[in-house]
Amino acid sequence: MKLEKITLYPLKMPLVSHFETSFGRIVERECVLVKIQSEGLTGWGECVADRDPGYSYETTGTVLHILRDFLLPMLAGQEVADAADFQRRVASVRGHHLAKAGLEMAIWDLLGKRQGKSLRQLFGGAREAVEVGVSVGIQASPEALVRVVEQYIADGYRRVKIKIKPGRDVSEAAAVRRAFPAMRLQVDANSAYTLATASALKPLDELNLLLIEQPLYEDDIWDHRLMQREFKTPLCLDESIVSPRHARYALEMEACRVINIKPARCGGLSQGLEIHEMCQKAGIPVWCGGMLETNIGRATNLALASLPGFSLPGDISASARYYQQDVTLESFTLNADSTINVPTAPGIGVTVDENAVKKFTF
Ligand code: OSB
Ligand code: MG
């Protein structure tokens, strides 16, 4: 299909409530939407870099630079067959996976719309609804955290992840565990510890957590192996897994027992699909991470999480948990069994509200 016109929309969207992690506090979430017009159809994608290089070295600024100055000139006006063809064409650009992934997402949307198939159908996903949880930011105190978690449980979430950082870890996790003894609970450190400081996390081993996510540096798969040997609780890698190759390294090194698949971090949905397949063969459970996406990215995460290897609940919460107003006509709601329905319409399966896109473009 010929990619006739590619348009970029840098957005700034106010969150319903701020989100604090070990790398900082997000009040307004930035992202860059990609619109591709091709043979009478329109495809949409989302680049999930933020204003600051906290989670990743990529930012709104680098995404716009890499797209405008390198990726778009390679693709605009070209015939692109599918995601694999896209990946071959952009292989000469090192890194910048969040920028590439937004473009690949828009290509998947076009592929689905051309064939009249949803992304779930294109991926071969089995489930019509996927189990989800909620990711809760760092709060003012363990007591305040327990109250926020209580509210999410009242909303219907059956799995909770709490963000931790040095000094704000064991007491918070223990308080939540004491308040909710049987709840599925996990923690995420976003690379805030070293092998030496991670010994402070040892008491977490007694809290019956589902997993400990990304305690150590993002480029340090080896030290995660050394840490995993000391912990009963499964370690889960997020930031460290930037490609299917890195997933293989982590599995071969036994650096983790679970992988968080965020397709954007790995350069696109096609890369997420590859990691899912690899982990399924290896018997390693995976789950779908989130990046505070708009409903565009959320729709594609749901399609991916419908695949059988996604055996743990994803960080894919209802639309209302993120933004007062989103950029699609549809919104996602939580079912009574802590699941969200996977879109069924062709492509990404949601309709972009171009007025809302204009409103949030800066
Ligand atoms: O590490 O999983 C993370 C949000 C932004 C950046 C990194 C992370 C997160 C989340 C939010 O945990 C998950 C969501 O989108 O609900
Ligand atoms: Mg994470």
Short mmCIF file of all heavy atoms in Angstrom, two decimals, residues 55 161 163 188 190 213-214 238-239 260 262 287 290 315, ligand 2:
data_model
loop_
_atom_site.label_atom_id
_atom_site.label_comp_id
_atom_site.label_asym_id
_atom_site.label_seq_id
_atom_site.Cartn_x
_atom_site.Cartn_y
_atom_site.Cartn_z
N TYR A 55 11.57 7.57 31.61
CA TYR A 55 11.40 6.12 31.40
C TYR A 55 12.39 5.65 30.33
O TYR A 55 12.98 4.59 30.44
CB TYR A 55 9.96 5.83 30.97
CG TYR A 55 9.75 4.42 30.48
CD1 TYR A 55 9.59 3.38 31.39
CD2 TYR A 55 9.73 4.13 29.12
CE1 TYR A 55 9.42 2.07 30.95
CE2 TYR A 55 9.56 2.83 28.68
CZ TYR A 55 9.41 1.81 29.59
OH TYR A 55 9.24 0.52 29.15
N LYS A 161 -0.71 -2.89 40.87
CA LYS A 161 0.74 -2.70 40.86
C LYS A 161 1.03 -1.38 41.54
O LYS A 161 0.36 -0.39 41.26
CB LYS A 161 1.22 -2.69 39.41
CG LYS A 161 2.59 -2.10 39.16
CD LYS A 161 3.04 -2.37 37.74
CE LYS A 161 3.60 -1.15 37.05
NZ LYS A 161 3.97 -1.41 35.66
N LYS A 163 4.03 1.53 42.45
CA LYS A 163 5.35 2.04 42.10
C LYS A 163 6.17 2.19 43.38
O LYS A 163 5.63 2.64 44.40
CB LYS A 163 5.21 3.39 41.40
CG LYS A 163 4.54 3.31 40.04
CD LYS A 163 5.46 2.65 39.04
CE LYS A 163 4.90 2.76 37.63
NZ LYS A 163 5.82 2.19 36.64
N ASP A 188 6.75 -2.10 41.01
CA ASP A 188 7.56 -1.67 39.85
C ASP A 188 8.51 -0.57 40.31
O ASP A 188 8.07 0.48 40.79
CB ASP A 188 6.64 -1.15 38.74
CG ASP A 188 7.40 -0.81 37.46
OD1 ASP A 188 8.63 -0.99 37.41
OD2 ASP A 188 6.74 -0.37 36.49
N ASN A 190 11.07 0.78 38.26
CA ASN A 190 11.60 1.58 37.15
C ASN A 190 13.09 1.87 37.31
O ASN A 190 13.53 3.03 37.27
CB ASN A 190 10.81 2.88 36.98
CG ASN A 190 9.42 2.66 36.42
OD1 ASN A 190 8.42 2.79 37.13
ND2 ASN A 190 9.33 2.28 35.16
N GLU A 213 9.04 -5.75 39.37
CA GLU A 213 9.33 -5.29 38.01
C GLU A 213 10.53 -4.34 37.98
O GLU A 213 10.59 -3.38 38.76
CB GLU A 213 8.07 -4.59 37.47
CG GLU A 213 8.18 -4.11 36.03
CD GLU A 213 6.85 -3.50 35.53
OE1 GLU A 213 5.81 -3.70 36.20
OE2 GLU A 213 6.88 -2.82 34.49
N GLN A 214 11.45 -4.63 37.08
CA GLN A 214 12.60 -3.77 36.74
C GLN A 214 13.23 -3.06 37.94
O GLN A 214 13.24 -1.84 38.01
CB GLN A 214 12.17 -2.72 35.71
CG GLN A 214 13.36 -2.04 35.02
CD GLN A 214 14.13 -2.94 34.07
OE1 GLN A 214 13.55 -3.74 33.34
NE2 GLN A 214 15.44 -2.82 34.06
N ASP A 238 11.09 -4.92 32.31
CA ASP A 238 10.36 -3.96 31.46
C ASP A 238 11.42 -3.23 30.62
O ASP A 238 11.75 -3.67 29.51
CB ASP A 238 9.54 -3.02 32.37
CG ASP A 238 8.86 -1.88 31.63
OD1 ASP A 238 9.07 -1.72 30.42
OD2 ASP A 238 8.10 -1.11 32.26
N GLU A 239 12.02 -2.17 31.19
CA GLU A 239 12.96 -1.32 30.44
C GLU A 239 14.09 -2.09 29.76
O GLU A 239 14.57 -1.68 28.69
CB GLU A 239 13.58 -0.26 31.38
CG GLU A 239 12.67 0.91 31.74
CD GLU A 239 11.85 0.66 33.01
OE1 GLU A 239 11.47 -0.50 33.27
OE2 GLU A 239 11.57 1.64 33.73
N ASN A 260 7.43 -8.21 30.83
CA ASN A 260 6.42 -7.20 30.53
C ASN A 260 6.64 -6.83 29.07
O ASN A 260 7.70 -6.31 28.72
CB ASN A 260 6.63 -6.01 31.48
CG ASN A 260 5.91 -4.75 31.06
OD1 ASN A 260 5.54 -4.58 29.89
ND2 ASN A 260 5.72 -3.83 31.98
N LYS A 262 5.94 -4.40 26.20
CA LYS A 262 5.43 -3.13 25.71
C LYS A 262 5.94 -3.05 24.27
O LYS A 262 7.15 -2.86 24.07
CB LYS A 262 6.01 -1.96 26.51
CG LYS A 262 5.43 -1.78 27.89
CD LYS A 262 6.07 -0.59 28.58
CE LYS A 262 5.61 -0.50 30.02
NZ LYS A 262 6.36 0.51 30.78
N TRP A 287 2.95 -10.37 30.16
CA TRP A 287 1.77 -9.51 30.32
C TRP A 287 2.03 -8.22 29.58
O TRP A 287 3.18 -7.91 29.24
CB TRP A 287 1.45 -9.27 31.80
CG TRP A 287 2.56 -8.70 32.64
CD1 TRP A 287 3.66 -9.37 33.10
CD2 TRP A 287 2.69 -7.36 33.11
NE1 TRP A 287 4.44 -8.53 33.83
CE2 TRP A 287 3.87 -7.30 33.87
CE3 TRP A 287 1.88 -6.21 33.00
CZ2 TRP A 287 4.30 -6.12 34.49
CZ3 TRP A 287 2.31 -5.05 33.62
CH2 TRP A 287 3.51 -5.01 34.35
N GLY A 290 1.81 -0.86 30.14
CA GLY A 290 1.15 0.34 29.64
C GLY A 290 2.07 1.54 29.72
O GLY A 290 3.05 1.53 30.48
N ASP A 315 -1.31 -3.95 32.39
CA ASP A 315 -1.48 -2.56 32.87
C ASP A 315 -2.32 -1.82 31.83
O ASP A 315 -1.84 -0.89 31.16
CB ASP A 315 -0.11 -1.87 32.99
CG ASP A 315 0.57 -2.09 34.33
OD1 ASP A 315 -0.08 -2.62 35.25
OD2 ASP A 315 1.75 -1.71 34.44
MG MG B 2 7.39 -0.80 34.31
#
